[in-house]
Amino acid sequence: MITLMRRFLPILALLLPTAAAAAPSPSPSEIVAHAPNTAWADVPPDRLLVMTLADGAQVAIELAPQFAPIHTGNIVHLARAHWWNGGAIVRVQDNYVVQWAPRDEKAKPPAGFVAHPPAEYDRARQDIAIRPLGFSDPYAPSAGFSSGWPVAVDGDRVWLPHCYGMVGVGRDMPPDTGDGQELYAVNSEAPRQLDRNLAIVGRVLTGMEHLGALPRGTAALGFYASKAQNVAIRSISLAADLPSAKQPHLQVMRTDSPTFTDYLNARANRTDPFFVRPAHGVALCNVPVPVRLKP
Amino acid sequence: MITLMRRFLPILALLLPTAAAAAPSPSPSEIVAHAPNTAWADVPPDRLLVMTLADGAQVAIELAPQFAPIHTGNIVHLARAHWWNGGAIVRVQDNYVVQWAPRDEKAKPPAGFVAHPPAEYDRARQDIAIRPLGFSDPYAPSAGFSSGWPVAVDGDRVWLPHCYGMVGVGRDMPPDTGDGQELYAVNSEAPRQLDRNLAIVGRVLTGMEHLGALPRGTAALGFYASKAQNVAIRSISLAADLPSAKQPHLQVMRTDSPTFTDYLNARANRTDPFFVRPAHGVALCNVPVPVRLKP
């Protein structure tokens, strides 16, 4: 895909699909567009949240129970209890996070909810297969991808990094780790200093452009200065609880596939025609794992 | 500064300024708040652009003539010719860039304008003093800060990285390097693959929250699908041409100051009370050089 061209050029590019497809060095977007079906894995509907904002905009969030089982368990219980319906986005701090809260944080949570989850900030590496990034990570001894997720690794511990669109659990001061009622999504430059200090529970798969464009809050820490500024949440549902026609049927690229290796290499070494000098390197959070609608 | 707290807690934090100030490990924000006047350098008004959007929102952009003298020279000529007054933001691609264009790109540029500038994608290191980042950069052999700017270094070449808020020159395919009429600002995760492939000419010092919150374009590459969606630019002026009362009087932290060293160390090793585990590392673009209004 041609980037940063002037506004008139994309039309030209669209008129020349054959030439683009025949280029000797495909761009990352071209690799994704031509990925075989075997390179994709379905996102299970019981791990997928669908947030609908007041204006109808939808945001699909994949949960990561393999990294934060207690917190994501809480989130599933809350979604099934319609906990966030009528809640709101209460904070948008520029270059940091978008944060939302339920309608009534003091209400009695549903059965099965764990009021004080353990600090699921990282997990044992155990037998997790990791496809290495292949480049240095300023925040961890090594980094890579596992079962479709970016991961950082230090010895026998592994964790989900705070990349753009990753979703975590807001918390008070330690040792309270947050219970999952207030969640945040990273809206910009990866605040990796938060890694292993908060529980990452998932990531936005589609609709991040809606959260990213929300007005920034003007109170301290980017909270909205008045309730009137809050962005109302119509509902957050578990996809599995929606009629199939209303579920987003999404797929994430398998990070153990040869196609992902091609994509990663292309992200690190842009040799498609727009580029004059490939970087020969790439940051963990600058390799967003591709997502598509299931064909 | 306390981060990612629940919405009720910031009020408590504001009630306890003495306790926060007495903490043994100050946060980056606390270091900035207490920085002495000697740690700050004025931004010269002849290097500062003031963009005013249709709704009155202002964005201050510092130019970097030391890195792109021909391109920034063009931009100064264009600003003085009111080139972007009545122009518009024409593209907002989520997690990539915000791009704007003049009212009439076919008009005859003002005297002094260089139609085909050289590729000012990097420059000779020569005698530039660089304060090292101290941590690895996946995109360059080394990285650091020079005269208030983040820089990446490879041998005897040095360049400005594509961090959040950095401003560059849109271009067509090589060897045309863009003339400065169309500019972009990075609105998210640092697209460092663009380093040394485009001319970085400056950075947003204040007002990035306005550009960051713009609606995303729905056409290819994030261009707005119709002219009606474009975000009108009332004016872009050189601060030096404005009455003093209308100039933003800004200061950037000196990156060769002891205060900046403290700030950098604190960014890499968060030990203020919210944090349970410091990262012992930080990415170049995750150390935004502090900016303040001149007191």
Side-chain angles (χ1 to χ4, degrees), chain A residues 124-145:
Chain A
R125 178 166 173 175
Q126 294 173 334
D127 54 355
I128 290 183
I130 295 173
R131 192 254 177 269
L133 173 66
F135 303 101
S136 68
D137 179 2
Y139 297 93
S142 69
F145 301 89

Side-chain angles (χ1 to χ4, degrees), chain B residues 12-23 30 34:
Chain B
L12 182 63
L14 291 172
L15 290 172
L16 295 168
T18 311
E30 288 164 344
H34 296 106

Side-chain angles (χ1 to χ4, degrees), chain A residues 1-10 14 90-91 93-97 99 101-106 121-122 135-140 154 162-164 169-174 176 178-179 181-182 184 187-198 208-210 212-216 220-221 223 227 230 267 270 273-286 288, chain B residues 1-10 14 90-91 93-97 99 101-106 121-122 135-140 154 162-164 169-174 176 178-179 181-182 184 187-198 208-210 212-216 220-221 223 227 230 267 270 273-286 288:
Chain A
M1 191 154 78
I2 294 162
T3 56
L4 288 170
M5 306 208 43
R6 294 203 213 157
R7 57 191 155 154
F8 308 110
L9 271 276
L14 291 172
V90 295
R91 175 191 188 192
Q93 186 168 357
D94 192 57
N95 199 17
Y96 202 38
V97 295
Q99 189 168 333
R103 191 174 50 183
D104 180 6
E105 209 158 341
K106 311 274 186 199
Y121 300 161
D122 58 12
F135 303 101
S136 68
D137 179 2
Y139 297 93
D154 185 358
H162 277 78
C163 300
Y164 186 77
V169 175
R171 66 163 167 89
D172 297 336
M173 301 296 275
D176 178 344
D179 58 15
Q181 294 196 66
E182 286 208 22
Y184 62 88
N187 69 0
S188 197
E189 183 67 38
R192 297 278 308 276
Q193 70 275 15
L194 301 174
D195 286 12
R196 306 180 93 181
N197 284 281
L198 291 131
M208 190 60 209
E209 68 274 20
H210 304 303
L214 290 174
R216 278 47 177 162
L221 305 179
F223 282 83
K227 276 200 172 183
N230 286 352
R267 292 285 302 181
R270 295 295 294 261
F274 183 79
F275 285 79
V276 295
R277 185 195 293 268
H280 302 308
V282 70
L284 177 62
C285 288
N286 200 11
Chain B
M1 190 155 79
I2 294 162
T3 57
L4 289 169
M5 308 212 36
R6 293 202 213 157
R7 60 189 155 157
F8 308 110
L9 271 276
L14 291 172
V90 295
R91 175 191 188 191
Q93 185 168 358
D94 192 58
N95 199 18
Y96 202 37
V97 294
Q99 190 169 333
R103 192 176 47 183
D104 180 6
E105 209 157 340
K106 311 273 186 202
Y121 301 160
D122 57 12
F135 304 101
S136 68
D137 179 3
Y139 296 94
D154 186 358
H162 276 78
C163 300
Y164 186 76
V169 175
R171 67 164 167 89
D172 298 337
M173 300 297 275
D176 179 345
D179 59 15
Q181 293 197 65
E182 286 208 23
Y184 63 88
N187 70 358
S188 197
E189 183 67 39
R192 298 277 309 277
Q193 69 274 15
L194 301 175
D195 286 13
R196 305 180 93 182
N197 284 282
L198 291 132
M208 190 59 211
E209 68 275 18
H210 303 303
L214 291 174
R216 277 47 178 163
L221 306 178
F223 282 84
K227 276 199 171 183
N230 286 353
R267 293 285 301 182
R270 294 295 296 259
F274 183 78
F275 286 79
V276 295
R277 184 196 294 267
H280 303 307
V282 71
L284 177 62
C285 288
N286 200 12

